[in-house]
Amino acid sequence: MKKQFVAWLLAICLVAGTGGFSAYAEGENESGSKPLEDIFYQTVIFPFNYQGKVFIDGYKATMYEKYEVVQRKGRVLVPIRLMGYLASQSVKPGEGTWDVVWNPKTPDVVLINNSAKGRSIKFTVNSKTMLVNKKPVELEVPPQKINGRVVLPLRDAAVALEKQINWLDGLILIGDTPLDVKHARTLSIKDAVKAELADSRKPVDYEKTLTPIAKNGSSIYYYKRSYDNNKITDELYRKADGQKAKKVAVPGNPSFSFTKTLGDELYFVSVVKDSTELYAYSFTKNQFRKVSSLGSWNPSDGWLSDIRLIDGELYVNLHTGDNTIGSDTLYRVEKGSLKEVLRAKSLIQFVKSGKALYYTDFKFMGDPTNNLYRMDMATGQEAPLGEPGFTYGIHRTISDGGGVGYQYDGTLHLKDGYLYTLGYKEEDAKDQSAVYKISLADQTQVKLTSPARNFWVKDDRIYFIDAQTGFLVQTDLNGENREVVSKKAVFQVSFHDGFIYYLVNDGSAPSEMGVLYRYDIKLAKEVKLSDLITASYHVDGGSDVYYVARGYKPGVYKVDRNGRNVPLVRDNVSWTLGADKGIVYTLEYKEGVYTAK
């Protein structure tokens, strides 16, 4: 909801009037202007004939609040509440936040401040002078009180906030880059943008939201969640191709917030007669079996973090408490009950070899160092691995201002008596995370790579994302024979049948979105797959590639064998689930669970 409000605010801020004004904000011209196709994901777009939809960061948001936008002398004014939402949000990373100050004792005065930019704006009702950093700036239309609300002139407010205002055939846009309204790549997407914003449908009510959790054969399994007197109820449904969905009778009161499919079975937690139990549901037999009691642990205590089958034994990681002061406990299932294996502040990763278990623990509330361990599962004894003072399994970033950020890396690889993991020396603020090779025999370690953000070990090669460039790089297991796989900033990397898939963001889209690429390991060849910016992708068991697009051409697309992008679904996708064949999805404005192949 907060993001939606921001979208509406920013969009409203775009408004410069109903027509008859320059396509650019005052002081700007076409020098440096760009086509809309290039800056779409950096621009807020709002139709003057507002239907409740706006684009922000390429996402089409639906607004629910009713606000009266007023015109005076060819200018548009917006209520202070809307401007408050806008002013209190971060404009861009590094640009600080806009904070609104409104005192009911002086109801005719509005202050908007951004300490990072060193900028403050003061508006006064019925005054044609606003103060920008205490310097007077003349307004064409003063702020006013209408129907008991203070409304502010959007054009002047946007200028005060140092934004570009553009008008394009009934579309109002705001951003940091001037728009080339006559460019062919502006006109080519204009109608598609307008059509999306003319959509008057309402999103599916949250009480009718369906969440897919598995697909087996031709059947989709999903759950519906309901709330009654603070009680949460999850109901499981099965829908086969061409048939109506059928409710599956589940023992007790299940929770499907976390599920895990292992082979033919779906694992989940259920509370049966005040006892919390781990269950498995067989897709082929349509039967449930109790796997284990979970003792005194209850879903209200935390959450189920992981379930794994290793060497024929089932391991369960239960989290207790919240993210800050909580902790993880790893168990092994023995004869229908849990046997504790280890406890960790936050279990990053664990691997097993024979009777030894190796794991990394992120102790973010204390000293994070010396967090790589070896446990003898026969005796329960454990000892730290690696060099003292090192932190493992974490990519650390230190900003110029001294702020520290941490990101988990889930790779912990065992091979030929060596353990491969990320590591850095904690006390050295200049030391950056890199891939290390640690000998299990004498605990000596060797640094194999340049600064790395994530890494993978595949077929005796180490692949990693260079922390400085974002490039995908490969080396051998000794850190030698280094080669750059892709000279692009990559993320969402995955490996399938001799190919590497990844997204690339050149800065024109939000950080979580990008263009899909594929790299052929054998041929050392990179190919662009998606025509559109994508939010997510899926490669199924047959190596068919699907991706989800947002923006003005939303939907599910399939990349065929000739590289063509074939639209399978042309609508706003809400949720996706990868399947062995095809992709499962739900829609934002239409109830149901669907498949595409």
Side-chain angles (χ1 to χ4, degrees), residues 224-240:
K224 180 188 297 184
R225 173 165 291 179
S226 60
Y227 304 85
D228 184 26
N229 295 325
N230 295 323
K231 179 182 178 181
I232 299 175
T233 302
D234 287 350
E235 296 176 317
L236 180 65
Y237 290 83
R238 176 179 180 267
K239 184 180 184 302

Side-chain angles (χ1 to χ4, degrees), residues 396-406 424 426 428-431:
R396 178 183 67 173
T397 56
I398 300 178
S399 65
D400 293 337
V404 181
Y406 299 96
Y424 67 89
E426 185 72 35
D428 184 356
K430 295 183 179 180
D431 192 29

Side-chain angles (χ1 to χ4, degrees), residues 3-16 43-48 50 53-56 61 63 76 78 82 86 154 158 164-166 171-175 197:
K3 186 177 181 70
Q4 291 174 330
F5 276 130
V6 174
W8 158 242
L9 285 4
L10 289 171
I12 272 267
C13 227
L14 302 170
V15 183
T43 305
V44 176
I45 308 176
F46 171 75
F48 190 74
Y50 171 64
K53 302 291 192 300
V54 296
F55 275 122
I56 174 68
M63 310 320 305
V76 177
V78 63
L82 275 167
L86 171 64
L154 292 180
Q164 293 287 324
I165 302 171
N166 297 281
L171 295 176
I172 305 157
L173 308 92
I174 190 169
L197 293 177

Side-chain angles (χ1 to χ4, degrees), residues 79-151:
I80 185 176
R81 183 182 294 274
L82 275 167
M83 192 51 106
Y85 282 122
L86 171 64
S88 63
Q89 303 303 313
S90 176
V91 180
K92 268 187 178 182
E95 287 192 353
T97 59
W98 290 97
D99 300 311
V100 63
V101 179
W102 181 77
N103 190 335
K105 294 181 179 180
T106 55
D108 293 343
V109 177
V110 181
L111 293 173
I112 303 176
N113 301 310
N114 186 318
S115 57
K117 294 174 69 70
R119 193 171 179 84
S120 66
I121 304 119
K122 179 180 179 180
F123 298 93
T124 303
V125 171
N126 294 325
S127 173
K128 295 187 68 174
T129 300
M130 68 176 173
L131 297 179
V132 179
N133 288 349
K134 299 183 179 181
K135 295 182 179 179
V137 177
E138 291 303 308
L139 305 173
E140 294 186 11
V141 179
Q144 300 174 40
K145 263 190 178 178
I146 298 177
N147 296 330
R149 288 184 173 183
V150 177
V151 291

Side-chain angles (χ1 to χ4, degrees), residues 514-542:
V515 176
L516 178 61
Y517 282 79
R518 180 177 63 201
Y519 180 81
D520 187 318
I521 296 176
K522 184 177 181 179
L523 299 178
K525 182 179 180 181
E526 181 183 62
V527 177
K528 177 183 175 182
L529 293 182
S530 67
D531 294 335
L532 301 170
I533 298 292
T534 177
S536 61
Y537 69 91
H538 168 63
V539 183
D540 70 11

Side-chain angles (χ1 to χ4, degrees), residues 520-592:
D520 187 318
I521 296 176
K522 184 177 181 179
L523 299 178
K525 182 179 180 181
E526 181 183 62
V527 177
K528 177 183 175 182
L529 293 182
S530 67
D531 294 335
L532 301 170
I533 298 292
T534 177
S536 61
Y537 69 91
H538 168 63
V539 183
D540 70 11
S543 296
D544 286 327
V545 182
Y546 305 83
Y547 70 88
V548 176
R550 310 291 184 189
Y552 52 88
K553 288 186 178 180
V556 177
Y557 292 77
K558 180 178 180 178
V559 183
D560 69 14
R561 299 307 168 108
N562 296 316
R564 293 174 299 187
N565 287 216
V566 180
L568 302 180
V569 181
R570 292 301 295 269
D571 204 347
N572 298 90
V573 176
S574 178
W575 183 278
T576 61
L577 173 71
D580 185 59
K581 292 184 179 180
I583 188 171
V584 181
Y585 65 94
T586 61
L587 298 172
E588 187 170 351
Y589 302 107
K590 183 179 178 181
E591 294 180 34

Side-chain angles (χ1 to χ4, degrees), residues 269-481:
V269 169
S270 185
V271 178
V272 181
K273 296 181 180 180
D274 298 326
S275 175
T276 306
E277 300 171 349
L278 179 66
Y279 273 85
Y281 169 72
S282 171
F283 295 119
T284 54
K285 297 179 182 179
N286 191 27
Q287 293 179 350
F288 295 90
R289 69 179 179 91
K290 178 183 173 181
V291 177
S292 171
S293 168
L294 298 184
S296 61
W297 185 88
N298 189 281
S300 63
D301 297 332
W303 55 83
L304 174 61
S305 297
D306 195 9
I307 301 175
R308 294 193 208 174
L309 190 62
I310 304 175
D311 297 335
E313 296 180 312
L314 196 67
Y315 291 80
V316 179
N317 182 17
L318 296 176
H319 186 90
T320 302
D322 60 17
N323 274 318
T324 303
I325 61 174
S327 61
D328 288 331
T329 305
L330 182 67
Y331 299 91
R332 184 174 61 246
V333 175
E334 293 187 359
K335 298 179 180 180
S337 61
L338 299 182
K339 181 178 180 179
E340 183 177 320
V341 176
L342 64 88
R343 294 190 181 189
K345 175 59 183 174
S346 182
L347 185 60
I348 302 173
Q349 185 59 279
F350 69 95
V351 293
K352 182 175 178 289
S353 177
K355 294 298 182 179
L357 187 142
Y358 303 87
Y359 71 96
T360 43
D361 178 12
F362 184 26
K363 302 175 289 185
F364 57 91
M365 294 297 290
D367 182 1
T369 62
N370 311 317
N371 67 325
L372 174 62
Y373 299 91
R374 178 190 183 277
M375 167 177 281
D376 186 327
M377 298 193 67
T379 65
Q381 293 183 338
E382 63 180 30
L385 285 181
E387 292 189 8
F390 269 73
T391 298
Y392 298 98
I394 294 290
H395 169 58
R396 178 183 67 173
T397 56
I398 300 178
S399 65
D400 293 337
V404 181
Y406 299 96
Q407 175 186 326
Y408 288 7
D409 179 80
T411 303
L412 196 60
H413 189 80
L414 276 171
K415 187 175 179 65
D416 299 332
Y418 292 94
L419 188 65
Y420 297 83
T421 181
L422 280 189
Y424 67 89
K425 194 169 184 62
E426 185 72 35
E427 66 179 15
D428 184 356
K430 295 183 179 180
D431 192 29
Q432 299 185 59
S433 308
V435 180
Y436 281 84
K437 178 180 180 180
I438 302 174
S439 170
L440 300 182
D442 58 15
Q443 297 197 41
T444 57
Q445 66 181 32
V446 178
K447 186 176 183 180
L448 302 180
T449 69
S450 59
R453 189 164 67 241
N454 303 100
F455 83 103
W456 304 262
V457 180
K458 303 289 181 181
D459 298 326
D460 293 333
R461 299 293 291 178
I462 297 172
Y463 296 86
F464 68 95
I465 297 178
D466 187 279
Q468 296 175 330
T469 64
F471 295 170
L472 182 62
V473 184
Q474 64 170 324
T475 74
D476 61 24
L477 294 181
N478 294 316
E480 299 174 350
N481 301 312

